[in-house]
Amino acid sequence: MNKNKLGFFSSLDFVTIIASLLCSAYGLILVYSATYSKLPDGKIISNDVRTMIISVLGGIIVALILCNIDYEIISKLWPVIAAGCIVLMLVTLLFGKAANPYRPDAKSWLDLGVFTFQTSELLKVGFIISFSYHLDMVKDHINRIKTIIPLVIHGMIPVALVVATGDSGSALIFLIMFIGMLFFAKVNIGYFVAGICAIIVAFAVAWKTKIIDGIQRERIVALFYPEQYKDVLYQQTNGKIAMGSGGLLGQGFLKGSMTQSGAVPVNENDMILSVAGEEFGYIGTVAVIILLLILMLRMLSTGQKARDNVGYLMCSGIAVMLFAQVLINIGMELSLLPCIGITLPLFSAGGSSSLCIYLALGIEMSVYRFSKSYGNSLFYT
């Protein structure tokens, strides 16, 4: 294959870079506002904002380094990446800490002294790499049952690992990623129907046997009986009120009454969209969604133009990961889904999430760059 050498800047994916930086900048503004009223005297920024700044800067550096490494090399390292992620999750299972005092069972964080790290975020990237390679290896007979069974086992490993650490929210993200990547790999629709039926049965069994219990069970029931579970829906209800009170243009930066009074718990994280809605209005909320939509569409566009199937699948997997988190977070904020602690990509506070998303974007930019340098330059804009 004829390689066309391109300069570093001429081969950068500026659409991804600009869109992700705009998301992070807007996210920092929202997190700053969400934590502003809680700042002690003399402190300029909160720990959440500081962590976010460090993770974004570190993420940008990592993304730029990764985009200089051929994604084909990265994909062939999948056994090392997969093994490393599994070991990290097992360490978390043994020594993990609970970040939320209301969920002491969710020990999904590693305390590294200087900072804490949510290992499931890195597992998402590792899964995209390993599962893309697996799907590519079996692409010629993807719809055979003897091919599907190992793929299902592969997909259920990360789900089982995060469930074991008590992180049911991330388990749902992995399940959507698994289904989405199978879809982009062109698996027969019949398998999806069978899979959905299996999920429904599994959920029914888990519900009947009270595997789904405690606050998780209450959050699901509360969606159907809101009047009886007002305390459970307190965060989501106040988030919707805050979001709606901003009107078209919002109450102004640092002027949101519910944001600054702390009426919406954890609004720097799960409920970050309520800050955008209250202080920047409908326009501000739509801007968040548009920026994330641009990023997701760019992932799909790069995948479509990739030089090979692995590049296509990795970009598709990143797009599905972002879509799953956006869908669930917004669904939570609008009380369409139970609150399960899923962040809004690049907008919510959380260094682990931002850093690992930039890691994934670096892989996408590698696909963009090396596909372009292999003779597809006229196909790129």
Side-chain angles (χ1 to χ4, degrees), residues 156-182:
M156 292 305 104
I157 289 173
V159 173
L161 287 171
V162 293
V163 167
T165 63
D167 189 359
S168 57
S170 291
L172 181 57
I173 297 294
F174 277 106
L175 187 60
I176 296 173
M177 288 169 60
F178 167 68
I179 294 171
M181 291 182 72
L182 287 179

Side-chain angles (χ1 to χ4, degrees), residues 219-237:
R219 285 172 174 172
I220 296 172
V221 176
L223 297 178
F224 301 96
Y225 302 97
E227 292 299 320
Q228 299 176 29
Y229 290 87
K230 290 182 179 179
D231 291 344
V232 176
L233 292 174
Y234 176 82
Q235 181 188 28
Q236 290 165 287
T237 300

Side-chain angles (χ1 to χ4, degrees), residues 45-77:
I45 60 173
S46 66
N47 291 336
D48 285 317
V49 174
R50 182 187 63 189
T51 300
M52 203 168 173
I53 291 172
I54 294 171
S55 65
V56 168
L57 292 176
I60 293 168
I61 293 171
V62 170
L64 290 176
I65 292 172
L66 277 178
C67 80
N68 281 283
I69 302 173
D70 194 332
Y71 67 93
E72 186 177 346
I73 296 173
I74 297 172
S75 69
K76 287 182 177 178
L77 290 173

Side-chain angles (χ1 to χ4, degrees), residues 63-345:
L64 290 176
I65 292 172
L66 277 178
C67 80
N68 281 283
I69 302 173
D70 194 332
Y71 67 93
E72 186 177 346
I73 296 173
I74 297 172
S75 69
K76 287 182 177 178
L77 290 173
W78 74 267
V80 177
I81 294 169
C85 287
I86 290 173
V87 169
L88 197 59
M89 290 302 298
L90 292 176
V91 171
T92 305
L93 183 60
L94 294 173
F95 306 105
K97 304 290 184 181
N100 189 341
Y102 300 104
R103 286 291 312 281
D105 60 313
K107 298 179 179 180
S108 53
W109 296 78
L110 279 182
D111 188 349
L112 302 177
V114 180
F115 59 92
T116 56
F117 186 79
Q118 189 174 10
T119 50
S120 61
E121 297 294 338
L122 188 59
L123 183 63
K124 292 173 187 174
V125 182
F127 174 69
I128 289 170
I129 295 169
S130 65
F131 200 53
S132 294
Y133 197 86
H134 188 169
L135 287 168
D136 181 64
M137 286 193 301
V138 298
K139 63 182 178 181
D140 293 331
H141 42 90
I142 189 74
N143 285 307
R144 295 179 185 175
I145 189 67
K146 65 180 182 180
T147 300
I148 293 295
I149 291 174
L151 288 172
V152 171
I153 294 171
H154 189 157
M156 292 305 104
I157 289 173
V159 173
L161 287 171
V162 293
V163 167
T165 63
D167 189 359
S168 57
S170 291
L172 181 57
I173 297 294
F174 277 106
L175 187 60
I176 296 173
M177 288 169 60
F178 167 68
I179 294 171
M181 291 182 72
L182 287 179
F183 173 80
F184 281 105
K186 300 178 177 61
V187 169
N188 193 295
I189 192 68
Y191 288 114
F192 291 104
V193 174
I196 291 170
C197 291
I199 291 170
I200 293 171
V201 171
F203 179 82
V205 171
W207 188 268
K208 185 71 174 177
T209 57
K210 293 192 176 181
I211 293 174
I212 301 174
D213 203 7
I215 187 62
Q216 294 175 321
R217 192 182 187 94
E218 288 181 357
R219 285 172 174 172
I220 296 172
V221 176
L223 297 178
F224 301 96
Y225 302 97
E227 292 299 320
Q228 299 176 29
Y229 290 87
K230 290 182 179 179
D231 291 344
V232 176
L233 292 174
Y234 176 82
Q235 181 188 28
Q236 290 165 287
T237 300
N238 280 13
K240 287 189 295 181
I241 293 171
M243 201 183 306
S245 66
L248 182 62
L249 300 176
Q251 298 176 17
F253 181 53
L254 302 180
K255 296 179 180 178
S257 56
M258 297 187 73
T259 295
Q260 300 309 319
S261 68
V264 185
V266 203
N267 60 348
E268 74 276 9
N269 200 301
D270 298 353
M271 295 287 151
I272 196 67
L273 201 63
S274 69
V275 181
E278 183 175 41
E279 297 198 341
F280 298 105
Y282 177 77
I283 299 298
T285 304
V286 170
V288 171
I289 296 171
I290 288 175
L291 285 171
L292 288 168
L293 184 61
I294 290 171
L295 207 52
M296 288 184 281
L297 290 175
R298 188 59 174 181
M299 301 301 106
L300 293 176
S301 173
T302 301
Q304 290 293 332
K305 300 170 185 176
R307 75 184 186 205
D308 57 24
N309 194 47
V310 170
Y312 159 74
L313 289 168
M314 286 201 293
C315 289
S316 300
I318 297 167
V320 174
M321 178 186 71
L322 293 173
F323 172 76
Q325 291 192 212
V326 171
L327 177 70
I328 293 174
N329 179 272
I330 294 177
M332 284 175 5
E333 299 209 41
L334 297 177
S335 296
L336 299 175
L337 295 171
C339 192
I340 53 176
I342 297 299
T343 58
L344 192 62

